[in-house]
Amino acid sequence: MLYLVGLGLSSVEDITVRGLNVVQKCARVYLEAYTSILMAASKEDLENFYGREVTLADRELVESSSDTILEGADKVDVAFLVVGDPFGATTHTDLIIRARSLGIPFEAIHNASVLNAVGACGLQLYNFGQTVSLVFFTDNWKPDSFYDRIKENRKIGLHTLVLLDIKVKEQSFENMARGRMIYEPPRYMNIETAASQLLEIEYVRKEEVYTDNTPCVSVSRLGSPDQKFVAATLGELSEIESGEPLHSLVILGHRTHEMEIEYLLDFATDKMKFQKAVETEVEAAVELPPPVTADEDDD
């Protein structure tokens, strides 16, 4: 059996009892180590807690050499550990598809992830639209596909959760081109970088999907004892010191409920300014034309 086990967000103890029981009976245990990290636990911490050897599974192993992970999983139990929930990344769905093709049974053991724990900032989960990812820009590579997804969310007033890039065991273009197996130090995008990159694309696209004055919430170290939320405008967040990773960012939509605002104000850097930014969003939305809907007879 292949078990995909969610680890939660921060500590070795965030694993469920059921997940722990499964890990301790498995012949091999892999830790997916490139879509996220446990903020308060290392590989060695996990090994000590589980009483099992843990093999780090980097992007290359999971995406290009999944047969190594699945080898013999039809005869012995294999655990694939995922920070958050097993279905928080499409890579893990690919692993299941591969297991199915090989006739290997599988089971997922769920846990908390940023996709549901983000509700701790006070925004209601059913008011969120599409989640987007933001990667580190380079001098000649600044992908902006996220911009259109945010635009779609904001047209109908929904919040957008922005997941920030992490770089673990990544090669520079030069080392990759030269075939040198030298890896860059890990990097984790912070709030100020994310806000600046978002604004950089807005300045280029000029569609006013969001602005410096758009109300947002920074989410730092979610699920850890020192988790932190900051409610401020996007421009203000481009200048803050967000501290240690991991981070996410939420762009508010205009359908923000009064209870959400009341909750968020405790995290605001400037309560009056944040309240005004939200009110401006709502007022601007009232002036928008209604969404275009097709007639029933239209194709």
Side-chain angles (χ1 to χ4, degrees):
M1 173 82 77
L2 170 68
Y3 290 96
L4 290 92
V5 182
L7 298 184
L9 295 169
S10 179
S11 166
V12 293
E13 297 175 341
D14 287 348
I15 191 171
T16 63
V17 173
R18 180 161 158 252
L20 179 59
N21 290 336
V22 163
V23 170
Q24 291 178 333
K25 75 171 185 174
C26 284
R28 300 197 311 276
V29 180
Y30 295 92
L31 172 63
E32 188 266 89
Y34 66 91
T35 61
S36 190
I37 59 167
L38 273 179
M39 290 174 285
S42 65
K43 169 180 173 291
E44 291 72 26
D45 293 332
L46 295 178
E47 289 178 328
N48 291 334
F49 190 74
Y50 302 151
R52 287 285 186 277
E53 181 181 354
V54 174
T55 300
L56 288 179
D58 59 18
R59 184 185 299 273
E60 182 179 356
L61 176 60
V62 177
E63 295 185 349
S64 303
S65 304
S66 60
D67 287 350
T68 301
I69 297 172
L70 298 174
E71 184 179 1
D74 55 337
K75 301 180 181 64
V76 298
D77 291 327
V78 175
F80 184 74
L81 311 181
V82 180
V83 175
D85 186 83
F87 291 100
T90 55
T91 295
H92 312 135
T93 305
D94 290 341
L95 186 63
I96 289 176
I97 292 173
R98 180 61 179 158
R100 281 176 174 169
S101 71
L102 296 172
I104 296 171
F106 66 89
E107 183 176 344
I109 300 175
H110 299 284
N111 209 320
S113 77
V114 64
L115 298 176
N116 53 30
V118 70
C121 76
L123 296 174
Q124 298 165 3
L125 294 179
Y126 56 76
N127 281 339
F128 279 79
Q130 303 169 85
T131 298
V132 301
S133 297
L134 183 64
V135 302
F136 280 109
F137 287 174
T138 66
D139 291 340
N140 53 12
W141 188 61
K142 298 181 180 182
D144 64 353
S145 58
F146 64 83
Y147 188 84
D148 295 313
R149 305 289 81 77
I150 296 173
K151 181 178 181 179
E152 291 169 358
N153 287 345
R154 286 179 58 76
K155 274 188 174 180
I156 55 176
L158 298 179
H159 312 314
T160 302
L161 172 61
V162 184
L163 302 178
L164 309 189
D165 198 10
I166 72 171
K167 298 290 187 185
V168 179
K169 201 177 179 182
E170 298 276 346
Q171 291 178 277
S172 67
F173 289 120
E174 180 182 356
N175 285 329
M176 191 180 302
R178 294 177 180 272
R180 297 186 298 213
M181 302 303 291
I182 300 174
Y183 299 100
E184 300 293 296
R187 288 195 298 155
Y188 307 95
M189 186 181 292
N190 56 31
I191 295 297
E192 47 270 43
T193 298
S196 297
Q197 289 191 180
L198 287 166
L199 289 171
E200 182 177 352
I201 296 303
E202 175 57 53
Y203 300 153
V204 172
R205 296 280 294 262
K206 293 181 171 54
E207 298 177 40
E208 295 189 357
V209 168
Y210 47 80
T211 70
D212 295 70
N213 293 317
T214 297
C216 298
V217 184
S218 74
V219 180
S220 299
R221 297 168 293 283
L222 182 64
S224 73
D226 63 340
Q227 72 179 13
K228 183 178 180 181
F229 308 113
V230 177
T233 65
L234 190 57
E236 290 174 319
L237 291 180
S238 68
E239 299 177 352
I240 71 165
E241 293 287 340
S242 52
E244 294 296 312
L246 296 170
H247 304 285
S248 301
L249 179 68
V250 181
I251 302 173
L252 270 64
H254 66 254
R255 285 166 52 180
T256 308
H257 190 274
E258 60 183 18
M259 188 184 302
E260 293 177 293
I261 299 306
E262 182 180 357
Y263 198 105
L264 280 177
L265 284 176
D266 275 347
F267 307 131
T269 55
D270 182 327
K271 289 181 171 56
M272 291 184 63
K273 183 175 182 179
F274 187 76
Q275 179 85 48
K276 179 61 177 176
V278 173
E279 291 172 354
T280 300
E281 288 277 311
V282 174
E283 291 167 3
V286 171
E287 298 173 0
L288 292 174
V292 176
T293 56
D295 294 333
E296 292 184 1
D297 293 336
D298 290 345
D299 291 335

